[in-house]
Amino acid sequence: MDWFFRNRHVIYILLLLNTGLLLWSFPYGSWQQSLFFLHLGIISLLYNVPDRYANTAFRSIRSVPLIKVFLIAYVWAAIGAFYPALEYQQAFQEAIILFVLFFLFILAITLPFDIRDYYGDKKRSLLTVPGVIGIKNTRKVAVALLLLYAIGIGFIYQHWAASFFIALTGGALIAFSSEKRPDWYYTGGVDSLLLLQYLLMLVL
């Protein structure tokens, strides 16, 4: 975070380059792909309204009670499941199955971030899942979601070894998550499960 604040100009340059490449690539995609990314882009923009606008009548959609983790899970799962189906004209039924599995996985590894932000969200009167069911129950729900994902991947795609390792590693990180853990535990540990999932399925 310190690096980001010190190098905002780099972020702005990358953002401009990314926007330019995005606009340049639009004519090469189908209208279905354009609409798909448009609705995800709208969700992302509304989600990331800067905090300095918090005192205005317009609020970010993540300020809606309980919705934050579900928005994140939806966007990531939609990109991982539906975009490849649009790009390679895969069966929509398979995309739906992948979406459900990805949604379970992303939701499971996103709930620990709500645990991390528990006191900050409480100060802002933002109702989150840990605020409703408690931190311990949130851990249990997250582990259960991860197990459902692993079982689904195992049964449907026969990736039993990969699903076992991701459930074991992810379950341990979730079980030991707390509001007192440092940021690297989440950004370096829990977030890395996204990469670990890919590598395990590639290797195993």
Side-chain angles (χ1 to χ4, degrees):
M1 290 302 296
D2 291 337
W3 186 92
F4 275 106
F5 283 117
R6 292 197 309 268
N7 297 274
R8 287 184 179 181
H9 61 284
V10 177
I11 306 301
Y12 293 147
I13 292 172
L14 291 174
L15 181 61
L16 288 173
L17 288 173
N18 181 69
T19 303
L21 288 171
L22 182 63
L23 293 174
W24 172 78
S25 66
F26 256 91
Y28 298 95
S30 65
W31 65 269
Q32 293 97 332
Q33 291 174 340
S34 299
L35 286 177
F36 172 75
F37 280 113
L38 179 63
H39 97 279
L40 294 181
I42 291 173
I43 292 174
S44 299
L45 286 173
L46 294 177
Y47 180 89
N48 287 294
V49 173
D51 290 337
R52 63 175 176 271
Y53 299 132
N55 294 324
T56 65
F58 183 78
R59 303 295 298 273
S60 65
I61 55 177
R62 63 179 170 179
S63 64
V64 177
L66 301 175
I67 202 172
K68 185 170 63 171
V69 290
F70 296 99
L71 288 174
I72 296 171
Y74 171 76
V75 171
W76 277 88
I79 291 174
F82 293 128
Y83 176 69
L86 289 172
E87 179 70 20
Y88 301 107
Q89 298 181 346
Q90 296 172 339
F92 191 68
Q93 292 83 352
E94 184 178 355
I96 293 177
I97 294 172
L98 274 174
F99 173 79
V100 172
L101 291 173
F102 286 162
F103 187 87
L104 292 173
F105 175 71
I106 299 298
L107 189 57
I109 67 173
T110 304
L111 283 171
F113 287 86
D114 263 3
I115 293 174
R116 179 197 66 178
D117 300 335
Y118 175 74
Y119 287 114
D121 290 334
K122 192 174 182 180
K123 287 180 180 178
R124 295 195 301 270
S125 299
L126 177 60
L127 190 62
T128 60
V129 174
V132 174
I133 65 175
I135 291 176
K136 289 185 179 179
N137 287 330
T138 301
R139 291 195 199 101
K140 294 177 182 177
V141 170
V143 170
L145 292 171
L146 190 63
L147 287 175
L148 286 175
Y149 160 80
I151 292 170
I153 289 293
F155 271 113
I156 298 172
Y157 299 103
Q158 299 302 307
H159 283 299
W160 282 110
S163 63
F164 171 78
F165 280 114
I166 197 68
L168 185 64
T169 307
L173 286 169
I174 292 169
F176 288 102
S177 62
S178 75
E179 67 280 8
K180 297 179 181 179
R181 295 286 180 189
D183 283 340
W184 64 261
Y185 184 88
Y186 298 93
T187 55
V190 179
D191 258 352
S192 68
L193 291 172
L194 286 166
L195 180 60
L196 181 63
Q197 171 199 222
Y198 169 74
L199 293 176
L200 287 173
M201 291 187 180
L202 190 65
V203 173
L204 301 177

